[in-house]
Amino acid sequence: MDLEAFLLATLTAHVGFAIFVTAHAHLTERERGNWPYITLAFGLAGVAGYFFYDREY
């Protein structure tokens, strides 16, 4: 796979993950916070953080 194809696939995946996080937060009425932006930057790590990071005050 050449570099351009890899970068396009990565960008497409990160955007898709961010859309998924945003849609899930909207449908479940969960606070989305900065997770869509984190997901854009870090991909699956952002998705995992959104689902598994439970901040308690």
Side-chain angles (χ1 to χ4, degrees), residues 2 6-7 12-13 15-16 21-22 26 31-32 34 37 42 48-49:
D2 61 64
F6 173 76
L7 292 176
T12 303
V15 169
V21 166
T22 303
H26 178 73
E31 183 66 32
R32 68 182 176 133
N34 289 327
Y37 305 117
F42 300 110

Side-chain angles (χ1 to χ4, degrees), residues 9-24 36 39-40 43 47:
T10 301
L11 176 66
T12 303
H14 286 216
V15 169
F17 292 149
I19 290 170
F20 173 75
V21 166
T22 303
H24 183 271
T39 303
L40 275 174
V47 174

